[in-house]
Amino acid sequence: MTRIIADISVSLDGFVAGPDPDPDNGLGAGGEALHTWAFSDDPDDRRILREATARSGAVVLGRRLFDVVDGPKGWNDDSGYGAGEVGKPAFVVVTSTPPESVRLTDLDWTFVTSGLPDAVAAARERAEAASSQRGEELDVVIMGGGATIGSALDAGLVDVLTLHLAPVVLGAGTPLFTGGTRRTLVRRSVTATSTATHLTYDLVDDVAGRLGSAGV
């Protein structure tokens, strides 16, 4: 069964981008440190990146992140999705209005204007089609930004949460969590390298939380 995986790098103080992000500097001031692990030569960092991107059947991102990666200082042959570790999965962008043009025309873009649940559903269809072609189970990856992942968690759309915890304190920036729906997570794996602590959690129904709120 196709899994929906939210995957993002985060600082020790909970930020997924530094202060003042913009299309020319999408990660904000100091935010590049969050992704040092993705360009590391550490064998565990390389394995985690390789295995995760190899399982990507489709990728979901928000419009703000799309504007960054498709901008003039965005992705290129050296810094695209998976940094050369994988082929090119389908990309699904949740947006209110499709862009007038796309710079990265060699990628498969789908723009969904009817909300995040429909974008995830479209990505699932693409991932399932890719799974049939390749003869293996592939995932849908929600890569961000932080607001998109937060909304997906609140809506109960996520099966697995993967965090790449960078050893940096940004002090300010774009937070990953700003409140929202209570969720229970079960840790499935943890791998520590010199550049990040890679954490994987399964999302489970918060039965205890629901019973408590009902006075049971």
Side-chain angles (χ1 to χ4, degrees), residues 162-180:
T162 296
L163 299 178
H164 309 285
L165 187 63
V168 60
V169 175
L170 293 177
T174 303
L176 176 57
F177 300 113
T178 58

Side-chain angles (χ1 to χ4, degrees), residues 125-180:
E125 291 180 1
R126 302 302 299 273
E128 289 175 348
S131 296
S132 297
Q133 292 175 356
R134 289 171 51 175
E136 59 180 317
E137 291 286 345
L138 299 176
D139 303 322
V140 170
V141 177
I142 305 177
M143 66 171 290
T148 300
I149 286 181
S151 296
L153 290 168
D154 286 346
L157 297 173
V158 177
D159 300 314
V160 178
L161 174 64
T162 296
L163 299 178
H164 309 285
L165 187 63
V168 60
V169 175
L170 293 177
T174 303
L176 176 57
F177 300 113
T178 58

Side-chain angles (χ1 to χ4, degrees), residues 113-132:
T113 60
S114 52
L116 181 57
D118 286 346
V120 172
R124 185 191 296 273
E125 291 180 1
R126 302 302 299 273
E128 289 175 348
S131 296
S132 297

Side-chain angles (χ1 to χ4, degrees), residues 2 26-27 37 46 66 82-83 121 140 144 152 155 165 172 181-182 193 200 210:
T2 302
L27 292 174
W37 72 271
R46 301 311 306 171
F66 166 80
V140 170
L165 187 63
T181 304
R182 175 178 173 177
T193 72
T200 300
R210 291 202 306 270

